[in-house]
Amino acid sequence: MTQETALLSTSPVTGEMNAPVRKVFVKTYGCQMNVYDSDRMSDALSRDGYVATDVLEEADFVLLNTCHIREKAAEKVYSELGRLRELKKEKAREGREMLIGVAGCVAQAEGNEILRRAPAVDLVIGPQTYHRLPEALKRARTGERIVETEYAIEDKFDYLPAPDKAKTRSRGVTAFLTVQEGCDKFCTFCVVPYTRGAEVSRPVAQIIAEAEKLVEAGVREITLLGQNVNAWHGVGADEREWGLGDLLRRLGEVEGVARLRYTTSHPRDMDDSLIEAHRSMAKLMPYLHLPVQSGSDRILKAMNRRHTAAEYLALVERIRTAQPDLALSGDFIVGFPGETEADFEDTLRLVEAVNYAQAFSFKYSTRPGTPGAELKDQVPEDVKAKRLERLQALLTKQQRGFAEACVGREIDVLLEKPGRLPGQLVGRSPWLQPVNVDAKASQIGDIIKVRITKAGPNSLFAEMIEEPRARSLTA
Ligand code: SAH
Ligand code: SF4
Ligand code: F3S
């Protein structure tokens, strides 16, 4: 078979040749919501006959789903576009077309500017309009350069096909589900309110329907996503106003859902009902990503986080009382404008007081258009770098301590995928750590009991504990 015919598909009904199969290569940057959005964009394109490829050179359409959160994230996109321009030229010399699209938060923030800076780009599409991607791509194929960054009036979720069975299975036993998008908090360092727009919650029925589809496709663990996921609210079947705690309880009743998680939460939106869910729901994993950014009240105020360090610590205490086994994760920014050594030490003190199982920490990055960019008293890069190093040393020590404290414990692990060694699978602990364990491939999707035997730098090692029932069957 020639290369040409291999790329043609035959209709199973008529036996006639259809249009050649087009291939799309999607590269995702940034947060989990971008991962979710990339899947939805691939779904939307699959209706137009595109199949996903992970071989860049094969692609007829390359889509970068981008992140604008820090300067480095945005710059990465432009350097990637430079490389793609060369590939596009090379393909053109061979008489093959390759279109290039930019989606996500850089697309929303920069719009037309991308077409100016990156002449190889054919299509720019913001996160609120990605259901229009197939249409935009058709127009781009005619040679038009497209920018779609208006906030759409129609609901993008309405237009997207539900995850289909065969495809989602290949995506694994865990899945993301966006329940809330956008942000009204306007922290002074952050671009998200500008790139993702105002806070919007998806309706309960839509979320339940999507969860049921995921379960049907073999998913066992669902992570609810939102830029401020715990600001989610909706009207329940009982006509009451629901918060995230109520939604989690309802999702816990969906048959086949074994584990639930949610991310990212804002401390201001942790209400009693959500904390209660951590106390009473076995399916809600004892893990919480609760960014604080700084431990200094002065800096928290300048960041417009609208809580103090003491309030955050008191909140952590309340959640831990409800769920003593809770692992906490956080985000930190060092070197926000005006941050002094004393402010930074307050952050170290807060970290000491909380003891994080996991954390993400960053040097403050000036984002054009945010209030933080206007502030005088920017902290020099070398000071930021030194503070980041000190903070990360402490956080790494806490992370190690947490992993080591797991050794000897008997825990449940959801088996996700083949491991690096034959006969090994990788699963997830309740606290989101990868766990390596000897198990059969047929056990992917099972939740098994293991004993943790060793803690590596990024994962745990474990041995399976035989189920008492299995033992009696073989005895
Ligand atoms: N909605 C989440 C955060 C989303 S952005 C929240 O409110 O916590 C993810 C993380 O990126 C933030 O928590 C913050 O730590 C970091 N971040 C955001 N803007 C940044 C900037 N301008 N410079 C450095 N880090 C930033
Ligand atoms: Fe950004 Fe603050 Fe909104 Fe989080 S809460 S997305 S940090 S503005
Ligand atoms: Fe980045 Fe946008 Fe997510 S800026 S972190 S991709 S919301």
Side-chain angles (χ1 to χ4, degrees):
M1 197 164 25
T2 62
Q3 176 78 17
E4 190 64 12
T5 51
L7 290 175
L8 295 173
S9 68
T10 309
S11 154
V13 182
T14 61
E16 287 162 8
M17 287 299 200
N18 292 331
V21 172
R22 292 209 172 102
K23 296 193 176 176
V24 53
F25 177 95
V26 184
K27 182 161 179 179
T28 309
Y29 302 79
C31 62
Q32 290 107 325
M33 195 171 285
N34 264 10
V35 175
Y36 177 89
D37 288 351
S38 287
D39 281 349
R40 297 291 82 80
M41 287 191 280
S42 299
D43 281 343
L45 288 174
S46 72
R47 284 195 300 189
D48 273 12
Y50 278 86
V51 294
T53 176
D54 39 23
V55 183
L56 176 62
E57 289 72 20
E58 279 184 357
D60 303 281
F61 178 46
V62 177
L63 182 62
L64 305 184
N65 195 12
T66 63
C67 174
H68 200 245
I69 201 83
R70 285 168 288 276
E71 193 180 350
K72 262 202 193 130
E75 282 312 312
K76 257 193 219 158
V77 175
Y78 283 105
S79 46
E80 184 68 36
L81 286 172
R83 283 193 290 274
L84 287 174
R85 186 185 188 186
E86 293 311 307
L87 181 62
K88 185 174 182 160
K89 276 192 206 151
E90 211 174 287
K91 287 188 115 181
R93 279 196 291 274
E94 295 165 9
R96 290 165 63 201
E97 189 183 40
M98 185 184 90
L99 268 68
I100 299 174
V102 178
C105 291
V106 176
Q108 190 63 44
E110 307 218 323
N112 271 306
E113 174 67 10
I114 299 178
L115 295 189
R116 202 188 58 76
R117 265 185 78 178
V121 171
D122 301 284
L123 162 70
V124 175
I125 190 155
Q128 303 309 332
T129 32
Y130 61 61
H131 53 290
R132 295 187 187 157
L133 177 61
E135 190 52 43
L137 187 53
K138 263 186 212 141
R139 275 162 46 216
R141 301 196 74 85
T142 68
E144 196 183 336
R145 294 183 90 198
I146 315 271
V147 178
E148 278 268 16
T149 51
E150 295 293 304
Y151 285 90
I153 304 160
E154 68 271 17
D155 180 355
K156 65 178 178 182
F157 295 107
D158 272 356
Y159 283 73
L160 293 166
D164 104 17
K165 202 163 178 164
K167 259 193 271 144
T168 312
R169 187 174 288 281
S170 69
R171 284 175 199 161
V173 295
T174 61
F176 294 130
L177 200 176
T178 293
V179 300
Q180 179 281 337
E181 191 170 355
C183 183
D184 296 339
K185 297 267 189 310
F186 291 93
C187 302
T188 52
F189 52 82
C190 184
V191 293
V192 171
Y194 312 96
T195 63
R196 291 276 170 171
E199 256 174 46
V200 177
S201 294
R202 285 178 76 188
V204 177
Q206 219 183 59
I207 296 166
I208 303 297
E210 192 163 323
E212 285 170 347
K213 282 265 161 22
L214 291 170
V215 169
E216 241 176 73
V219 168
R220 309 229 44 215
E221 174 178 303
I222 298 179
T223 301
L224 307 183
L225 296 183
Q227 266 89 35
N228 279 299
V229 70
N230 54 348
W232 179 90
H233 58 95
V235 179
D238 56 5
E239 314 231 315
R240 260 190 332 112
E241 181 71 18
W242 280 11
L244 191 67
D246 303 291
L247 181 67
L248 284 163
R249 278 182 281 271
R250 173 67 186 85
L251 283 165
E253 291 167 7
V254 171
E255 213 183 310
V257 171
R259 288 179 158 191
L260 289 163
R261 304 179 185 275
Y262 59 94
T263 198
T264 294
S265 298
H266 193 288
R268 296 263 311 186
D269 293 320
M270 285 306 297
D271 64 15
D272 290 343
S273 160
L274 182 53
I275 296 175
E276 180 52 34
H278 277 285
R279 184 196 314 275
S280 57
M281 278 186 73
K283 289 184 180 179
L284 180 57
M285 291 297 97
Y287 182 93
L288 179 61
H289 184 59
L290 195 64
V292 65
Q293 318 298 354
S294 167
S296 150
D297 288 345
R298 223 172 53 80
I299 297 298
L300 284 169
K301 190 156 195 283
M303 287 176 162
N304 192 30
R305 292 292 291 184
R306 296 187 290 150
H307 63 75
T308 61
E311 280 162 351
Y312 179 85
L313 290 173
L315 174 61
V316 165
E317 190 58 40
R318 274 171 57 217
I319 309 167
R320 279 186 166 151
T321 305
Q323 172 47 282
D325 220 7
L326 190 89
L328 263 169
S329 153
D331 289 345
F332 299 88
I333 295 177
V334 299
F336 185 79
E339 185 188 75
T340 61
E341 173 63 22
D343 292 318
F344 174 66
E345 280 168 14
D346 285 344
T347 301
L348 295 178
R349 249 190 301 280
L350 179 138
V351 171
E352 292 280 8
V354 172
N355 196 11
Y356 287 92
Q358 175 72 266
F360 305 89
S361 45
F362 315 96
K363 286 188 276 184
Y364 170 70
S365 168
T366 310
R367 307 311 289 131
T370 62
E374 309 296 317
L375 295 173
K376 294 192 194 67
D377 222 359
Q378 298 281 335
V379 176
E381 275 307 307
D382 59 328
V383 176
K384 285 187 206 169
K386 281 201 199 104
R387 285 182 189 161
L388 186 66
E389 210 176 289
R390 285 163 67 197
L391 176 62
Q392 287 186 339
L394 176 58
L395 290 167
T396 307
K397 196 177 83 185
Q398 294 190 341
Q399 242 163 279
R400 291 243 172 86
F402 179 76
E404 269 149 27
C406 291
V407 175
R409 281 191 74 170
E410 295 182 2
I411 64 166
D412 284 341
V413 165
L414 170 60
L415 296 172
E416 273 185 35
K417 55 188 177 199
R420 245 183 286 157
L421 301 175
Q424 221 178 43
L425 295 182
V426 186
R428 289 273 166 183
S429 78
W431 310 287
L432 217 50
Q433 301 137 299
V435 182
N436 306 288
V437 58
D438 288 341
K440 293 192 285 283
S442 60
Q443 287 175 290
I444 289 177
D446 289 357
I447 294 176
I448 60 160
K449 272 241 170 320
V450 304
R451 184 179 300 105
I452 304 297
T453 52
K454 201 174 89 181
N458 301 308
S459 63
L460 300 173
F461 296 84
E463 58 190 17
M464 209 186 297
I465 303 170
E466 265 185 76
E467 295 286 332
R469 199 158 57 92
R471 224 180 288 148
S472 70
L473 283 176
T474 50

